[in-house]
Amino acid sequence: MLFLPLRVLVLNDNFFQRTAIVNMVRRLGCDAVFDAASANHAWHVLCQVGPVDIVVCDLHKDGMENLDFLRRSALSGLVRSVIINNSLAEDVQRTARQLMPLLGLKMLGEVGSPFNINALSDLLMSYKNEPTPPAVSRCMNIVVSDEEVRVAIVEGQMETYFQPKVNLINLQVSGVEALTRWNHPRGGIVSPVVFMSTIERCELLNQLFFAQLEHGLHLQRQYLMHGQPLNVAFNLQPSQLSDVGLVSRIKETLASFKLPAAGVTFELTETGLVDASAECIENLLRLRLMGCRLSIDDFGSGFSSLRRLCQLPFNEIKLDGEFIQALDDGPRSRAVISSTIALGESLGMTVVAEGIETQDQHRELVKLGCVLGQGYFLGKPMKKQELVNWLQSRAPLRGSGR
């Protein structure tokens, strides 16, 4: 018998089906198996036993309560993935696959009726074999006060992580993206979703950004000393680009590290650029004139993508991860990806695919002609020393004695 160290909750209102599924899950080696007959019952079970890896859930025509349960448990960080245990119409299944990531859940797949133990085994194994993101707290019940955020920045609780950008053909690392995680004294590692709005409201974006910029430039300089360039990407918010002194300060910071502007990339989400001010556009132009790279992030998630490409001086497109996750859902996502790659080539822009989580996605993107990618399958976000060790294990620094 397989041994799968997974915690599984079976939510099904039919006693016989529920019992059969529970027995199958246990036969597959999952000893921590719980069951519930209703959404309310399932919530009480989670409150008693704690988080689970997978919910095997029935979404029938009266299953709106189960959707409410999935949303609530995902926001509370109590559920990670979902297996649907009834057959859905193709359009409903496609919509469910789009919805689950928006709720913060991974939809592993669907096991129809009659329930097939081999299909269930494959889905459980796919969860076990996929790279698991670090335990990032999504506990939305953490009340983030302005004072907590100020203290967090002063005391260095805001930590910089780096996620690799990788050439999909030869698997060489082309650069890294700097990301902020809050090492909260009560909530553990907290996602920016929880605290970035407070950071912006408290007008602390620049303080956080320039601390992150220095962390990234320290890493870049370490690699340049050994003859290895490493592009570092940083996220900028549109509100920061309205600051007329922003670019001058970035230029001074680069000069203090004696590093070229060409070694950094600034990523901006397209949705934040819908109403770009004159100051914002001027700062983008100044950054490009300095030699910095500009990347339009989450490309395809808004409605103004093409207009922004024509108006603003970007030289990189980051394709929204939802298109990558939907590769298995039919030809539409492939068509969007192929078109974006062709568009990037015609405009002389680099295209980076975000959110690559599986080997199959990697393989399909290579077939479609995508060269650069980012995601947990290629490399998770890491602290500086963890990243250095990871990079050295792949290709030791020249002159490092290794």
Side-chain angles (χ1 to χ4, degrees), residues 291-302:
C292 301
R293 292 182 59 81
L294 297 180
S295 176
I296 185 166
D297 200 4
D298 296 336
F299 183 79
S301 62

Side-chain angles (χ1 to χ4, degrees), residues 72-100:
R72 185 181 183 187
S73 56
L75 287 175
S76 301
L78 294 173
V79 174
R80 293 181 178 177
S81 300
V82 180
I83 294 174
I84 305 301
N85 76 311
N86 60 303
S87 296
L88 301 175
E90 183 178 349
D91 58 335
V92 176
Q93 183 184 136
R94 185 167 59 246
T95 303
R97 285 185 176 275
Q98 293 173 349
L99 173 64
M100 295 308 164

